[in-house]
Amino acid sequence: MKKRTKRLLLNWRVLLLILFLVGSIATLALKPLTFGIDISGGVALVAQTEHPVDSDTMQLVVDSLQKRLNTLGLRDITVEAQGDQIVLVKVANVSTAEQANQIKAVIESQGVFYMEFTGTIFGTGNDIEYVGIYQIKPDNSWAVPFRISKSAAEKFAELAYGKVGWPVDMFLDPPVNSLMVVPDSVYRLMNSTEFNAEAPEAPTLMERIGKAFNITVVSYANQSADEIAKLAQGKDKIVLIDVPQDLQNELEKMNLTVRYIPREPGESDHQIVVKALGLYGPYSLGEGLTVGEPQQDVQITGSAPDRLTAEQEASTIYTVLKSGSLPVKLTVVGMEFISPRLGEDFKNQALYAGLAALIAVLLIVYFHYRNLRIAIPVASTSLFEAIIILGFAALINWNLDLPSIAGIIAAIGTGVDQQVVITDELLSGEKSTKITRRASVLKRMGRAFFVIFASAATTIAAMSFLLVYFVGTLKGFAFTTILGVLIGILITRPAYAEIAKYLLGED
């Protein structure tokens, strides 16, 4: 008996199971499991493109958003396209409105970056070669350094020669080829030297954006929607700034693209212009930059009323510059928080469901075979399988959501079926001589594992289709199901076969 037990414990299949089991328990002790948005809580945002796009463009949007949100340092991000205009973004472990608003700002920023001087664009986002870490100063001002290409720097040096104090503008998502309808006070401000830095002789901001981006600015004087539509002929969009919002509805009924920008409480004319244009600057051109020598290292600066806002503004600019532009502009049309408390209830329910499933397996197998020597190993092997799957998930930082947990349960259910196949094959043998009995056991194990491998192959093939061609939560279900099946056929099923042969007296 001791010899058979020793031979079982030294069997390489059993040793492999023990090795993976101990390794998984150690991993779970050192690296806690991380959970998805439906368990740990978070925020879900629904974004809409400004016009319908084809499937290739939508995939570019999804990939770019995923990269951009990863650059922001977020974990467990799900970006899912739905149709030709809707993008669903889910981010776990987001619990405050400030965090959600920063994510919203990153999504809504198309990230088309321009550098302009005297109405000439001398650089774009494609000219950015490197983005440095942003800096926050004690006075809550911030700076994001970056390096532009040599060709852009040379073009700027040529334009800036001898123009000390002239304004240098940087824009993020300006309304290119648009008609801007603004209050008279905003019109007069844009047509003044307010945005001319230290050079009143330089072109005004209105002249610069008209030349660089084909933006036409008109003063609102109670024009009708028809009159505005006539002025906007040949333009891609209309931007309404602090004018009656009824105009937006009337213009949209004419199938025109309209963006409405209201004035926030306490917002000045200068601030609303900066917001509408996505303007950073104007920066005054220093004397050292006007001698014709190209300078590749530049920076965007800004200031905020408090450190938290400064961090968010600088982080957003850094993220957008580093990740590049989106192929189409997005607008967040819905946002919903998912409570972590609700997720905690889901976690507990999943744990109770798992324990109940193990107990049910134990009881059903016992009533089927009337033998605890079979029922206990079957239930134990299922438990070991679950522990190994969870250990592997912790090792690779896989975020477990409810579909992933469902995939683990599905894999374990498949495993129980396969263990029953192995047990039935072992119990079906006739009493015979030692040699023929050994041959019979090998033959029966061969039959059992043929069924097991065929079943696993079909399951993996079906789940691979979900993993490759579907998005969102179905990927989690497919991944954990495939992982569970592979662990079963490579580790737990061979070990169970050896244990079952030992317990049933088969050598």
Side-chain angles (χ1 to χ4, degrees):
M1 184 70 177
K2 288 183 180 179
K3 188 177 179 182
R4 291 181 66 241
T5 304
K6 183 179 179 181
R7 192 163 66 240
L8 173 69
L9 293 176
L10 293 178
N11 186 285
W12 70 269
R13 298 175 182 87
V14 177
L15 286 174
L16 187 65
L17 172 62
I18 294 171
L19 179 65
F20 271 87
L21 186 60
V22 172
S24 297
I25 292 171
T27 300
L28 290 169
L30 296 173
K31 292 184 67 175
L33 289 167
T34 54
F35 296 93
I37 186 172
D38 44 9
I39 295 177
S40 62
V43 65
L45 302 99
V46 180
Q48 183 176 359
T49 60
E50 61 182 350
H51 55 76
V53 297
D54 57 35
S55 58
D56 290 340
T57 304
M58 184 58 82
Q59 189 57 50
L60 278 175
V61 170
V62 170
D63 294 342
S64 299
L65 269 185
Q66 189 82 41
K67 178 183 175 183
R68 182 175 288 188
L69 294 172
N70 282 330
T71 303
L72 196 60
L74 299 171
R75 291 188 58 196
D76 187 26
I77 307 158
T78 302
V79 182
E80 180 180 346
Q82 297 184 345
D84 59 1
Q85 269 194 285
I86 300 299
V87 179
L88 179 62
V89 179
K90 293 182 180 179
V91 186
N93 302 305
V94 174
S95 56
T96 65
E98 289 80 8
Q99 291 174 308
N101 287 333
Q102 185 180 10
I103 295 168
K104 179 175 180 283
V106 168
I107 292 172
E108 290 189 330
S109 176
Q110 189 176 354
V112 181
F113 180 69
Y114 297 96
M115 294 173 281
E116 170 268 324
F117 185 73
T118 65
T120 301
I121 296 170
F122 64 87
T124 67
N126 294 329
D127 291 301
I128 296 177
E129 296 182 342
Y130 167 79
V131 182
I133 300 300
Y134 59 84
Q135 301 150 1
I136 310 294
K137 296 180 181 177
D139 62 353
N140 297 323
S141 62
W142 53 265
V144 181
F146 61 97
R147 182 176 299 144
I148 61 175
S149 66
K150 187 177 180 181
S151 61
E154 289 173 345
K155 186 175 182 180
F156 175 62
E158 183 182 338
L159 291 169
Y161 185 77
K163 294 184 173 67
V164 178
W166 280 49
V168 182
D169 304 313
M170 297 187 188
F171 295 89
L172 194 61
D173 299 330
V176 177
N177 192 31
S178 66
L179 174 73
M180 294 182 67
V181 183
V182 302
D184 185 61
S185 61
V186 173
Y187 180 89
R188 284 187 278 107
L189 183 76
M190 294 177 71
N191 205 28
S192 70
T193 58
E194 170 77 11
F195 294 92
N196 278 30
E198 300 172 22
E201 72 275 18
T204 65
L205 177 64
M206 190 180 295
E207 292 170 328
R208 300 199 299 270
I209 63 175
K211 180 181 176 183
F213 305 117
N214 194 28
I215 297 174
T216 303
V217 184
V218 297
S219 175
Y220 178 66
N222 296 318
Q223 295 98 324
S224 66
D226 289 329
E227 290 174 315
I228 292 173
K230 190 173 181 180
L231 291 171
Q233 286 181 355
K235 301 290 187 181
D236 293 336
K237 68 181 72 174
I238 300 171
V239 182
L240 303 176
I241 301 177
D242 191 30
V243 297
Q245 196 166 359
D246 292 344
L247 287 171
Q248 180 185 10
N249 300 327
E250 294 177 39
L251 290 165
E252 285 177 344
K253 288 178 182 177
M254 301 178 191
N255 295 321
L256 296 172
T257 301
V258 183
R259 178 188 175 198
Y260 182 77
I261 302 176
R263 186 189 296 269
E264 301 296 334
E267 191 170 40
S268 67
D269 287 345
H270 187 283
Q271 290 170 326
I272 204 168
V273 168
V274 167
K275 180 173 71 174
L277 293 174
L279 171 64
Y280 292 88
Y283 304 108
S284 177
L285 187 59
E287 188 170 353
L289 298 175
T290 63
V291 294
E293 292 295 326
Q295 297 287 330
Q296 290 183 260
D297 293 318
V298 292
Q299 63 180 9
I300 292 181
T301 61
S303 60
D306 55 72
R307 187 170 183 84
L308 178 61
T309 306
E311 284 269 4
Q312 291 175 345
E313 289 179 0
S315 176
T316 299
I317 296 299
Y318 167 80
T319 299
V320 170
L321 292 183
K322 194 170 180 66
S323 61
S325 63
L326 296 172
V328 65
K329 185 168 179 58
L330 293 168
T331 303
V332 174
V333 295
M335 185 164 61
E336 179 184 4
F337 284 95
I338 298 173
S339 168
R341 176 65 185 274
L342 187 61
E344 199 65 38
D345 292 339
F346 285 157
K347 196 190 302 182
N348 292 334
Q349 290 169 8
L351 179 62
Y352 297 149
L355 292 174
L358 279 175
I359 294 170
V361 166
L362 180 66
L363 293 174
I364 291 170
V365 174
Y366 172 73
F367 284 123
H368 179 69
Y369 293 108
R370 301 290 178 176
N371 189 342
L372 278 175
R373 288 161 64 88
I374 296 174
I376 291 175
V378 169
S380 299
T381 305
S382 298
L383 177 61
F384 298 158
E385 197 168 311
I387 292 172
I388 294 172
I389 294 171
L390 293 175
F392 190 83
L395 184 66
I396 65 171
N397 293 319
W398 182 268
N399 290 293
L400 290 174
D401 52 14
L402 291 180
S404 297
I405 294 172
I408 294 173
I409 294 172
I412 292 172
T414 304
V416 171
D417 289 343
Q418 294 170 356
Q419 291 172 74
V420 169
V421 170
I422 293 171
T423 306
D424 285 345
E425 286 291 347
L426 286 172
L427 292 174
S428 66
E430 297 280 338
K431 296 289 182 182
S432 56
T433 68
K434 187 173 181 178
I435 295 175
T436 57
R437 188 177 178 191
R438 184 173 186 276
S440 176
V441 169
L442 292 174
K443 185 177 179 181
R444 282 177 274 143
M445 284 297 93
R447 284 201 304 264
F449 275 93
F450 174 79
V451 173
I452 289 168
F453 279 107
S455 171
T458 55
T459 302
I460 291 172
M463 292 298 108
S464 297
F465 179 79
L466 292 181
L467 193 64
V468 173
Y469 293 105
F470 282 74
V471 293
T473 55
L474 285 176
K475 281 186 177 288
F477 176 78
F479 175 79
T480 50
T481 302
I482 291 173
L483 178 62
V485 169
L486 288 174
I487 289 171
I489 62 174
L490 298 176
I491 301 168
T492 55
R493 226 66 74 233
Y496 172 76
E498 296 299 325
I499 295 168
K501 283 192 288 183
Y502 169 80
L503 293 173
L504 296 174
E506 300 279 5
D507 289 320

